[in-house]
Amino acid sequence: MASSPKADQTGFPLTGSAPERYEEYSAPIMTPFVEALLDAVDLCPGHQILDLAAGTGYVARAAAARVGPTGHVVAADLNEAMLKVAAAKAPRMYPDIEFTAAPADRLPLPDTAFDTVLCQQGVQFFPDLGAALAEVARVLRPGGRFAATAWTAWDRSPYFAAQQGVLAEHGGPAVGASFEAAFSCSADRLTTALTAAGFHDVAARDVTFGITLPPLDGYARGHLSALPWGQAIEAAGGPGALTRAAEGIVTALSGHTDPDGTATVPFSSTLVTAVR
């Protein structure tokens, strides 16, 4: 994605009730990658954590459980509606999670405040990746850890391939561009940007999980409605267009679907770690 001098744009806009649906429908896909992300940085009780591009708070909640009552978690995201859902879902038995509405390249946070910065499926949507990683470097203490996930190519997962197929039929070029952005941050791009931002010990590896999705007859439409490209289909063609697109996804995944309607398919992310 091209760099932008403005920090008030994001490649993952959601409106209306979509953030609530995102929390519900993305959970099956996100959960194993959240655990892999946290395992990569060896969180300890008392650590100070920033969840960057926190969305509805999957990573923030899991990190809070690991750092315990002596730790602290800040969840930052540009989308205030997503943070509102995250705040509502935050459990009260962990340390309070602090929610901050802010762009990734202008964080209202002090220098060297964090032991670890985590970013789950957010780096590919930053308008200026270099500026965002410079901010990550600023807020990390020397020796602090950064870890991020970003989807590998969409054709690595039959589910994303099925989504791509229906977008071509029901969405048009603008919708396709929104979808492609989700897969725009390759390992090379991210490791190069981290090195340029002053990080060392930069490493990348692919992580793949076979994930069982809920019965697709309901799940495919619900999940699509909680994604920017799905919202764009509905905006262009109405609810009927979204329903037809979801039906196309179900058909495309028929070979992966069990008798109960669930489907187990692989999902692959690049997992990148670096040290400040």
Side-chain angles (χ1 to χ4, degrees), residues 4-33:
S4 167
K6 298 183 71 176
D8 59 351
Q9 302 296 320
T10 176
F12 202 82
L14 290 177
T15 59
S17 60
E20 288 88 349
R21 294 194 301 278
Y22 180 85
E23 165 68 21
E24 175 184 358
Y25 287 101
S26 290
I29 300 173
M30 290 293 185
T31 297
F33 291 101

Side-chain angles (χ1 to χ4, degrees), residues 212-219 250 253 256-264:
T212 300
L213 302 175
L216 291 179
D217 282 348
Y219 180 81
V250 174
L253 291 173
H256 299 271
T257 304
D258 294 325
D260 63 357
T262 63
T264 300

Side-chain angles (χ1 to χ4, degrees), residues 136-157:
V136 171
R138 180 184 66 79
V139 302
L140 269 174
R141 64 168 177 78
R145 302 287 300 278
F146 173 74
T149 58
W151 296 122
T152 59
W154 55 261
D155 59 4
R156 294 279 299 275
S157 171

Side-chain angles (χ1 to χ4, degrees), residues 11-270:
F12 202 82
L14 290 177
T15 59
S17 60
E20 288 88 349
R21 294 194 301 278
Y22 180 85
E23 165 68 21
E24 175 184 358
Y25 287 101
S26 290
I29 300 173
M30 290 293 185
T31 297
F33 291 101
V34 169
E35 294 304 312
L37 186 71
L38 299 185
D39 288 344
V41 291
D42 300 322
L43 298 186
C44 297
H47 274 184
Q48 307 295 300
I49 309 299
L50 171 62
D51 178 13
L52 186 62
T56 58
Y58 297 121
V59 169
R61 293 192 295 270
R66 295 201 186 192
V67 302
T70 59
H72 184 63
V73 177
V74 175
D77 198 286
L78 185 61
N79 190 320
E80 294 188 44
M82 296 281 267
L83 287 181
K84 183 177 180 180
V85 174
K89 295 291 183 179
R92 300 300 175 225
M93 72 282 292
Y94 302 140
D96 286 341
I97 300 171
E98 179 183 345
F99 298 96
T100 300
D105 57 1
R106 285 208 308 271
L107 296 170
L109 300 168
D111 295 352
T112 65
F114 297 97
D115 299 293
T116 304
V117 176
L118 302 165
C119 187
Q120 168 89 337
Q121 301 299 340
V123 289
Q124 61 266 54
F125 299 109
F126 295 155
D128 190 329
L129 178 60
L133 294 179
E135 274 291 85
V136 171
R138 180 184 66 79
V139 302
L140 269 174
R141 64 168 177 78
R145 302 287 300 278
F146 173 74
T149 58
W151 296 122
T152 59
W154 55 261
D155 59 4
R156 294 279 299 275
S157 171
Y159 181 76
F160 286 139
Q163 283 196 343
Q164 195 276 340
V166 303
L167 292 181
E169 180 178 353
H170 298 283
V175 178
S178 173
F179 173 82
E180 292 287 349
F183 307 92
S184 66
C185 200
S186 67
D188 285 347
R189 181 185 175 209
L190 187 49
T191 55
T192 298
L194 282 164
T195 301
F199 287 85
H200 61 91
D201 293 341
V202 179
R205 59 187 174 92
D206 283 357
V207 179
T208 300
F209 293 102
I211 295 174
T212 300
L213 302 175
L216 291 179
D217 282 348
Y219 180 81
R221 190 187 189 284
H223 187 222
L224 199 59
S225 75
L227 299 170
W229 42 96
Q231 288 204 298
I233 289 176
E234 188 168 19
L242 192 65
T243 298
R244 290 189 294 274
E247 290 170 350
I249 293 172
V250 174
T251 298
L253 291 173
S254 60
H256 299 271
T257 304
D258 294 325
D260 63 357
T262 63
T264 300
V265 290
F267 290 84
S268 293
S269 281
T270 297

